[in-house]
Amino acid sequence: DNTYFDDNFWSNKITLVLNALDNLDARLYIDSQCVNHGKPLIDAGTLGSKGNVQVVIPFVSESYGTSVDPPEPSIPVCTIKNFPYLISHTIQWSK
């Protein structure tokens, strides 16, 4: 139900969006609304001991939905030691 968060909300009630959501679909939805309504977005997140912040200025910078992270060449040592969350981390740790 989009009764409260309608076009009026996005167009008139906010000037900036601060985002720290925990799933991709929600991040992409907020990003698309910000781009569609010309609202700046500051998106923040963590993965293990890593942190990331992205500032999105509609029609000026790359949006969250269009950005692509480069692939990581290897598993960071801090992930293997402190935050193993995939089977490949366990395999790497055992070597």
Side-chain angles (χ1 to χ4, degrees):
D1 182 25
N2 252 356
T3 306
Y4 184 76
F5 300 107
D6 58 7
D7 284 335
N8 183 49
F9 170 83
W10 287 101
S11 298
N12 300 318
K13 295 186 179 182
I14 59 172
T15 56
L16 170 70
V17 175
L18 303 175
N19 193 21
L21 296 168
D22 66 350
N23 72 70
L24 183 60
D25 290 337
R27 286 175 185 262
L28 291 172
Y29 172 76
I30 296 298
D31 175 66
S32 69
Q33 293 299 316
C34 288
V35 170
N36 290 340
H37 292 90
K39 303 298 179 182
L41 167 66
I42 299 176
D43 181 77
T46 62
L47 178 61
S49 61
K50 291 180 167 184
N52 182 60
V53 175
Q54 181 178 359
V55 177
V56 177
I57 309 296
F59 314 112
V60 175
S61 65
E62 184 176 45
S63 71
Y64 181 84
T66 61
S67 64
V68 178
D69 292 336
E72 289 196 23
S74 63
I75 304 167
V77 174
C78 60
T79 298
I80 294 170
K81 287 185 173 183
N82 300 312
F83 301 103
Y85 58 92
L86 297 174
I87 292 174
S88 60
H89 298 161
T90 306
I91 294 168
Q92 183 65 32
W93 178 83
S94 69
K95 291 181 178 182

